[in-house]
Amino acid sequence: MSHQEDGADGLQDLGIESLFGSPEEQSGAVAAMEASSDIDTATLDVSTGMTRDGGDTSDGGFPKDSSTENRSTDQENSSEDVEHESVEDFEHFFIPGLPVFYYPLLREDEIVEEEEEEIDEEGEEEEQAQMCPRCGGTDHEQCLLEDRALEEWTSSETSALPRPRWQAVTALRQRQLGSSTRFVYEACGARAFVQRFRLQYRLEGHTGCVNTVHFNQRGTRLASSGDDLRVRVWDWVRQKPVLDFDSGHNNNVLQAKFLPNCADSTLAMCARDGQVRVAELTNASCFESTRRVAQHKRAAHKLALEPDSPYKFLTSGEDGVVFTIDLRQHQPASKIVITREKGKRVGLYTISVNPANTYQFAVAGQDQFVRIYDQRRIDKKENHGVLKKFNPHHLVNCDFPTSITCTAYSHDGTELLASYNDEDIYLFNSSHSDGAQYAKRFKGHRNSTTVKGVNFYGPRSEFVVSGSDCGHIFFWEKSSCQIIQLLKGDPEGTINCLEPHPYLPMLAASGLDHDVKIWTPTAEAATELTELKDLIKKNKWERDQDSVYHTHLFDQYMLSFLMGHRSQRDHHLGWGARFPEELDESSSTSLTSEEEGQD
């Protein structure tokens, strides 16, 4: 086979598609090639004959009588000769005027522009490859440093837990031998039980968010209320309500509690309309009436019971006023103090009474301070009557608004929890002096969009429990500050209220869902915290991102909240209703009882 045949074979291997642009050009070229097939054959025959006349080609296709130098030279130039001859023969295949490769020639300026466009495209591809998906910049070294710091922080918060102090087998043996009679009491504070919490069942029946849950003194009844303005008293063991009545409030009920030592005959309530009301019951099974005992000028979020007192409790409101309520008096409400800072009122979200010293109570709200008052020593001329104030030192002069959504005393009154909005939970020693730093810090959750509660869990306040914006319930071991349990509480929103049972290892919780959830330690094995690390990392990252947009607490939440419940409020209030902000100053003092008939 000659070199020209090799060239023709190479041409066929190129394929028509690589030579011609459009399908019309391809079909025309095929016709031309078929018409010139005879010319191709004749050309090849002539080439073969020329080779035979030139001599013997047994040695690689070259004549034997050629000199070594010529043969070497011919070998060096053989490829060029073949290509030249192939091109000459190749010209016979084309129709005059039709180019070999159908690409238009470019001018020099067009070539330069095309090269610049290619360089720009390559640069854009490199930028996209280096683009940080979080900050949107090409230099994401700072993001990498933040990610590394966040990973280190997350690892420190999810480190191995210390060995538990309570052992189930040992405790059971001691109970069987009669050496310990407090098995249930100790089991309630055992980590092994908390780690086996799971959702036992739901108490359904409310038609709005459930803002409050509270057990009676014996733990046999559970009261709940919320946005539907109804109060339900549950037999939680049988999972059915034994009482359902209208609270008498005009806006969302925020808290309802049984008074102690009253045979479950008195239920105190406060709401967003600023009213403080009392419901008269009969053994928590028969409703008689409700009456208003105090009126705040703004929303009243919390009330605090005095231990063992069936007729006295405290309330606080966003108007900064603290009332003491004594149901034995003709005018039950009397103003104790108005919370102020630098001459301005401080709205209050929470109030707690010290169980070891009922004269002392703690309030907190729309600033960074937890204030402790003593009812016997309130001097308005001296520090606005405040006995002592606590707050984390790094929040003393913070540049953004800081608020506290809830406080809670420990079982013996020695410790005080404070849950900060879009910050962490801090534990203070209540016996420390004014301005003392916090003793412990609990991290990992997020408290941003609602007024979330915080509480101790366990007979000796062994654990701290709180809801989170991510819809989970967090349990921390108080001694180690480590997260030991994570429960998926509310898939659609958040858990705001957490109420431990008085003496059993169980927990009642409520939030944006329209039900009450009962949690018990009935799981076969401890909860595996597989998603904990990613969850707290996500909460921390979101909190850091939102830190640059700090506004007044709950501004955006309240806007959507009020719009979402407008129709419900209109139904209960009527268009001509008078909101508590429109009431005069006298309405924030004492009110005579206002009797209302049975529902």
Side-chain angles (χ1 to χ4, degrees):
M1 184 70 67
S2 68
H3 298 288
Q4 289 178 345
E5 292 176 336
D6 294 338
D9 293 340
L11 174 62
Q12 296 173 0
D13 292 338
L14 289 175
I16 297 174
E17 290 81 5
S18 64
L19 300 177
F20 305 101
S22 64
E24 292 80 8
E25 295 166 356
Q26 294 176 12
S27 61
V30 171
M33 291 172 66
E34 291 177 350
S36 61
S37 60
D38 295 336
I39 300 174
D40 182 22
T41 305
T43 305
L44 293 175
D45 291 340
V46 172
S47 177
T48 305
M50 291 174 62
T51 305
R52 289 174 182 172
D53 295 340
D56 188 6
T57 58
S58 61
D59 186 9
F62 293 94
K64 284 187 176 182
D65 57 352
S66 300
S67 65
T68 305
E69 294 179 0
N70 293 336
R71 185 180 303 174
S72 175
T73 305
D74 291 340
Q75 288 176 347
E76 292 176 359
N77 300 327
S78 60
S79 60
E80 297 178 2
D81 295 340
V82 170
E83 292 178 2
H84 178 70
E85 294 171 359
S86 300
V87 171
E88 289 179 351
D89 292 334
F90 193 49
E91 291 177 354
H92 295 286
F93 297 156
F94 299 102
I95 301 173
L98 183 65
V100 178
F101 298 98
Y102 191 69
Y103 294 116
L105 297 177
L106 300 176
R107 299 191 306 272
E108 291 184 1
D109 55 346
E110 293 178 338
I111 294 174
V112 172
E113 291 178 359
E114 185 173 316
E115 291 177 352
E116 292 178 351
E117 290 178 358
E118 292 178 355
I119 293 173
D120 293 339
E121 290 178 358
E122 292 176 357
E124 291 178 359
E125 292 178 356
E126 292 179 359
E127 288 183 3
Q128 291 178 357
Q130 297 178 0
M131 187 78 71
C132 178
R134 197 170 67 196
C135 66
T138 56
D139 183 11
H140 57 283
E141 182 178 352
Q142 182 64 28
C143 290
L144 295 177
L145 293 175
E146 293 176 358
D147 289 343
R148 191 177 300 112
L150 181 59
E151 184 67 25
E152 294 175 356
W153 175 83
T154 305
S155 300
S156 66
E157 293 302 312
T158 56
S159 58
L161 294 170
R163 182 179 178 82
R165 291 172 291 182
W166 185 85
Q167 300 295 329
V169 176
T170 303
L172 284 169
R173 183 184 299 112
Q174 292 175 350
R175 186 182 69 170
Q176 292 297 102
L177 296 175
S179 58
S180 176
T181 59
R182 308 185 68 184
F183 176 82
V184 175
Y185 179 84
E186 294 175 351
C188 290
R191 184 201 300 171
F193 276 68
V194 175
Q195 290 177 324
R196 284 171 169 77
F197 265 117
R198 73 178 183 90
L199 181 61
Q200 191 69 24
Y201 47 77
R202 304 168 186 263
L203 304 178
E204 299 178 342
H206 285 284
T207 59
C209 301
V210 181
N211 303 321
T212 176
V213 289
H214 185 256
F215 286 104
N216 64 350
Q217 193 172 16
R218 297 179 297 165
T220 58
R221 296 289 185 264
L222 177 69
S224 64
S225 189
D227 293 359
D228 59 2
L229 312 184
R230 306 288 298 181
V231 177
R232 286 196 164 209
V233 178
W234 301 86
D235 182 343
W236 61 269
V237 176
R238 295 180 175 85
Q239 306 177 42
K240 64 179 183 179
V242 297
L243 197 58
D244 185 355
F245 62 92
D246 187 358
S247 65
H249 286 281
N250 298 325
N251 211 325
N252 306 335
V253 179
L254 300 178
Q255 195 155 51
K257 288 187 174 184
F258 287 104
L259 269 64
N261 298 326
C262 66
D264 302 331
S265 62
T266 307
L267 188 75
M269 302 169 291
C270 60
R272 192 173 298 280
D273 59 8
Q275 294 185 63
V276 180
R277 303 184 72 87
V278 171
E280 302 294 340
L281 312 176
T282 302
N283 297 325
S285 59
C286 182
F287 169 73
E288 294 183 0
S289 63
T290 65
R291 57 178 176 142
R292 184 174 61 177
V293 295
Q295 175 71 64
H296 289 273
K297 294 182 68 176
R298 296 184 181 273
H301 289 269
K302 300 291 183 183
L303 52 86
L305 306 180
E306 289 192 8
D308 303 326
S309 175
Y311 42 78
K312 292 185 67 176
F313 59 94
L314 303 178
T315 70
S316 64
E318 290 186 21
D319 55 1
V321 176
V322 176
F323 286 122
T324 178
I325 310 296
D326 190 340
L327 300 179
R328 297 170 297 182
Q329 304 296 324
H330 176 66
Q331 292 185 340
S334 60
K335 187 184 302 183
I336 300 178
V337 68
I338 299 177
T339 306
R340 300 180 185 274
E341 183 69 24
K342 297 180 180 179
K344 296 182 179 180
R345 290 197 184 197
V346 178
L348 301 178
Y349 295 129
T350 179
I351 183 169
S352 303
V353 172
N354 188 335
N357 182 356
T358 58
Y359 290 106
Q360 291 186 3
F361 62 92
V363 296
Q366 297 175 356
D367 67 3
Q368 65 269 42
F369 297 106
V370 178
R371 295 171 174 83
I372 296 179
Y373 295 89
D374 190 319
Q375 297 185 50
R376 302 164 298 181
R377 300 168 58 185
I378 294 179
D379 184 358
K380 298 179 181 180
K381 297 181 180 180
E382 183 179 350
N383 198 24
H384 299 293
V386 177
L387 179 65
K388 61 181 74 174
K389 292 194 298 186
F390 296 135
N391 76 300
H393 289 176
H394 66 279
L395 297 178
V396 172
N397 298 314
C398 57
D399 297 330
F400 52 86
T402 305
S403 298
I404 301 172
T405 61
C406 188
T407 58
Y409 274 101
S410 61
H411 70 291
D412 56 3
T414 60
E415 296 169 325
L416 181 62
L417 286 174
S419 180
Y420 280 74
N421 172 251
D422 228 2
E423 243 276 351
D424 297 325
I425 298 171
Y426 296 91
L427 185 146
F428 300 94
N429 192 320
S430 61
S431 62
H432 284 178
S433 60
D434 181 35
Q437 177 66 305
Y438 64 88
K440 293 181 182 294
R441 184 177 185 177
F442 306 94
K443 299 181 285 185
H445 79 310
R446 192 168 187 221
N447 176 12
S448 177
T449 58
T450 58
V451 184
K452 288 181 186 62
V454 67
N455 215 334
F456 286 100
Y457 179 84
R460 290 189 290 267
S461 305
E462 292 91 344
F463 306 97
V464 174
V465 59
S466 173
S468 175
D469 288 354
C470 59
H472 290 78
I473 299 173
F474 284 74
F475 279 85
W476 294 267
E477 189 174 53
K478 187 182 70 174
S479 59
S480 64
C481 297
Q482 294 291 307
I483 298 171
I484 64 164
Q485 180 60 287
L486 182 69
L487 302 173
K488 184 62 177 177
D490 191 341
E492 301 299 330
T494 62
I495 293 289
N496 298 324
C497 184
L498 300 134
E499 178 74 7
H501 193 274
Y503 56 85
L504 291 178
M506 64 169 291
L507 179 77
S510 66
L512 298 187
D513 278 353
H514 300 175
D515 56 29
V516 178
K517 297 176 176 66
I518 302 297
W519 305 84
T520 57
T522 55
E524 295 182 357
T527 303
E528 295 183 4
L529 307 180
T530 54
E531 61 177 332
L532 174 61
K533 193 171 184 179
D534 292 336
L535 189 63
I536 65 176
K537 186 186 298 184
K538 177 177 178 290
N539 288 339
K540 179 67 164 60
W541 184 83
E542 289 180 351
R543 193 176 80 180
D544 292 343
Q545 293 298 307
D546 291 345
S547 63
V548 296
Y549 302 109
H550 271 291
T551 57
H552 193 272
L553 180 61
F554 314 130
D555 282 349
Q556 296 180 354
Y557 166 73
M558 286 304 302
L559 178 61
S560 61
F561 179 86
L562 294 175
M563 291 299 294
H565 295 274
R566 176 179 176 179
S567 59
Q568 177 177 302
R569 293 200 314 276
D570 291 342
H571 171 73
H572 290 284
L573 285 170
W575 289 104
R578 190 182 184 200
F579 285 90
E581 288 81 356
E582 301 171 353
L583 299 174
D584 55 20
E585 183 67 26
S586 62
S587 64
S588 284
T589 56
S590 179
L591 295 173
T592 58
S593 299
E594 177 183 301
E595 300 291 342
E596 294 189 3
Q598 185 173 352
D599 181 39

